[in-house]
Amino acid sequence: MELDPAEAELKAVLNRLRRAQGQIAGVVRMIEEGRDCEEVVTQLAAASRALDRAGFSIVATGLRRCLAEAADGGRSREDRDEMRGRLERLFLSLA
């Protein structure tokens, strides 16, 4: 399954990942500066949630695409079942 970065949903995922990247850089700076543990953990938790949401969005996009291809008859049943199984495992790895 390949992702089309032109899709609006995936643009939102990329923005979320860039935000998380900035948050992680901020966490590194906070640790280097000796900032309060609670502040660091709060920012780290926010970055973690952003990464989780990005992962779920990517898996959801794949599921939708898989279902659309199944409706169009673009894949064999075995291919669809294999793809669904892979996407389910990816989804569970995020849980």
Side-chain angles (χ1 to χ4, degrees), residues 10-77:
L10 291 178
K11 286 184 180 183
V13 169
L14 289 172
N15 288 337
R16 183 172 282 143
L17 289 172
R18 287 185 184 105
R19 245 189 332 273
Q21 186 177 30
Q23 288 172 314
I24 292 169
V27 168
V28 170
R29 277 192 307 277
M30 292 171 77
I31 292 170
E32 290 172 344
E33 295 169 358
R35 300 276 293 274
D36 179 65
C37 178
E38 188 174 343
E39 291 177 34
V40 172
V41 171
T42 299
Q43 285 303 310
L44 194 54
S48 178
R49 282 190 306 274
L51 290 172
D52 288 344
R53 286 187 195 131
F56 285 126
S57 291
I58 290 169
V59 171
T61 299
L63 284 171
R64 275 195 299 281
R65 186 169 294 153
C66 186
L67 291 173
E69 287 178 6
D72 292 341
R75 291 181 183 241
S76 71
R77 179 161 180 78

